[in-house]
Amino acid sequence: MTFSSLHSGLRPLHRARDLMAVANLIELCFASTMDADGRLYLQQMRETAREAAAMDWAVSGLEQAAGVPLEGFVWEEDGRLVGNLTLIALRRMNRRVFFVANVAVHPDYRRHGIGRKLTQAAIDYTRAFGAWETWLQVRAENTPAVRLYESLGFATVAARSAWVSGLAQPRPLQPRALVSSRAAVDWPRQREWLRETYPDHLTWHLPLNIDSFQPSFLRDLMHTFDGSRPVHWSARMGSALLGLLTLEASRLSTDNLWLAAPAYNAVDAILTLVPHALQNLRSGRQVTLNFPAGQCESALQAVGLTLHQTLVWMKIVL
Ligand SMILES: CC(C)(COP(=O)(O)OP(=O)(O)OC[C@H]1O[C@@H](n2cnc3c(N)ncnc32)[C@H](O)[C@@H]1OP(=O)(O)O)[C@@H](O)C(=O)NCCC(=O)NCCS
């Protein structure tokens, strides 16, 4: 009889020891869909892994002493890390919520129930923690993962598409309306329309703070100095306001566009405002527009944006 002392099964993530193996597993499992931000995230994870390994005993000691919260679960087979799930603790409406990320099982070990056990462990842990909700995002076409999450009680909240510039040429367009810098009087409608397109229950983990767009001399001045000032444009047909568009700098690989327009004007607002924004990008930068999936697709393609991905946002109320 052979005896192996190597661990098999589920256990909590050990930050100091597991991070490099987790990074390798994520790279293997997400290679085909990983974008520039994903690669940067992996690089940071590997740097942290190297630093953590250099001070291994200190990190483990600290974790025990300070009760640093758990950050995920892993699955091992004979000591080899073949499954991972990351947990990120956040707050929404002043209540504790969790976000599940990096659910990954090594291709050689799939369909053995590992993904299910990892996800169930996350649900049990966040429930025991007293969290309100647990959220995750999954690519719309990732049927195995969507089925897994649905079978454990996650429900779809929304599907959002990320449209990016720089990959396609815009078709020649006739300007339909007049574009100008946003006037302060446009702000109430901009806020109302932004809240319709980017509702509260989604913006809490989008890089968007609608109230920060309120016209304010002081804020504009501060943003001018750090170079991050968002630029807002309004589109008008005669005296009627069609919609507004904001171009906001980001530290990630692309800057952001945020469209504010009522549904009945969205196509005209896109056809008028997006080409204008694309002519005013920071040098060498591309932009991403986050938009409800399936809406205004022809207009978004016409202005030269390309569908990068559609993410389904799912949650389980605990
Ligand atoms: C999604 C993933 C984590 C599932 O891991 P797994 O260990 O193979 O999943 P399990 O064996 O626990 O399967 C649980 C359920 O998921 C669903 N499922 C898993 N793989 C499936 C597939 N290839 N086709 C259809 N359904 C699938 C089934 O409902 C399954 O239940 P069943 O076996 O009773 O039918 C794995 O396929 C993976 O790592 N994919 C690449 C990374 C990824 O896309 N992660 C999700 C990011 S949101």
Side-chain angles (χ1 to χ4, degrees):
M1 191 174 95
T2 54
F3 174 78
S4 167
S5 62
L6 295 173
H7 180 264
S8 288
L10 183 83
R11 66 167 173 80
L13 174 85
H14 187 292
R15 281 196 297 173
R17 279 202 301 267
D18 294 333
L19 228 42
M20 194 59 86
V22 169
N24 294 340
L25 183 67
I26 290 173
E27 186 167 46
L28 177 73
C29 292
F30 293 101
S32 61
T33 53
M34 192 169 288
D35 57 18
D37 293 326
R39 286 191 289 277
L40 189 65
Y41 172 69
L42 263 192
Q43 192 184 325
Q44 283 165 350
M45 199 187 282
R46 289 196 164 111
E47 276 164 27
T48 310
R50 275 188 280 274
E51 284 164 22
M55 47 182 283
D56 182 48
W57 68 268
V59 172
S60 349
L62 266 180
E63 261 178 339
Q64 274 164 18
V68 172
L70 190 64
E71 288 177 292
F73 292 96
V74 296
W75 187 277
E76 281 182 323
E77 287 292 334
D78 293 329
R80 182 182 176 204
L81 196 150
V82 298
N84 176 74
L85 180 149
T86 302
L87 275 173
I88 301 160
L90 298 164
R91 294 199 84 75
R92 172 161 118 82
M93 295 164 74
N94 232 5
R95 295 164 86 173
R96 169 67 72 213
V97 295
F98 278 88
F99 194 80
V100 166
N102 302 330
V103 182
V105 173
H106 190 289
D108 295 347
Y109 294 86
R110 289 189 188 156
R111 297 312 296 261
H112 292 289
I114 297 175
R116 182 184 295 285
K117 292 197 184 84
L118 284 164
T119 312
Q120 187 63 56
I123 295 170
D124 295 345
Y125 175 78
T126 53
R127 186 173 281 139
F129 198 90
W132 176 32
E133 298 168 335
T134 295
W135 286 71
L136 56 83
Q137 291 177 346
V138 53
R139 280 178 171 258
E141 69 279 9
N142 192 345
T143 309
V146 172
R147 288 211 180 132
L148 163 64
Y149 303 137
E150 281 175 347
S151 74
L152 289 172
F154 281 88
T156 296
V157 176
R160 307 286 299 191
S161 292
W163 292 85
V164 296
S165 66
L167 302 173
Q169 282 299 317
R171 286 180 230 144
L173 298 167
Q174 292 296 322
R176 296 176 176 227
L178 216 62
V179 177
S180 61
S181 291
R182 176 190 70 177
V185 291
D186 296 340
W187 164 242
R189 272 177 297 175
Q190 183 185 20
R191 181 176 51 196
E192 179 193 332
W193 293 336
L194 278 171
R195 285 183 178 157
E196 280 167 19
T197 312
Y198 307 98
D200 270 354
H201 67 275
L202 301 181
T203 46
W204 65 280
H205 57 93
L206 275 183
L208 171 65
N209 177 358
I210 292 175
D211 290 335
S212 74
F213 294 163
Q214 179 167 11
S216 150
F217 175 73
L218 256 182
R219 197 182 293 123
D220 285 356
L221 195 68
M222 274 156 49
H223 283 317
T224 304
F225 286 122
D226 69 13
S228 66
R229 184 178 171 182
V231 190
H232 309 272
W233 294 283
S234 302
R236 285 190 159 72
M237 192 91 84
S239 60
L241 185 63
L242 282 183
L244 300 99
L245 187 69
T246 301
L247 170 61
E248 187 176 35
S250 152
R251 283 198 213 104
L252 297 178
S253 63
T254 68
D255 292 339
N256 291 309
L257 290 180
W258 308 108
L259 183 78
Y264 53 86
N265 275 343
V267 165
D268 281 333
I270 289 167
L271 295 175
T272 309
L273 287 161
V274 174
H276 193 81
L278 296 184
Q279 286 165 9
N280 285 279
L281 300 186
R282 293 192 289 161
S283 157
R285 295 289 289 176
Q286 294 180 352
V287 274
T288 299
L289 173 70
N290 181 300
F291 210 63
Q295 289 186 19
C296 303
E297 292 192 336
S298 305
L300 292 163
Q301 282 161 5
V303 292
L305 298 184
T306 303
L307 181 59
H308 168 56
Q309 64 177 5
T310 296
L311 290 178
V312 178
W313 299 44
M314 304 182 90
K315 78 169 178 185
I316 184 167
V317 180
L318 298 162

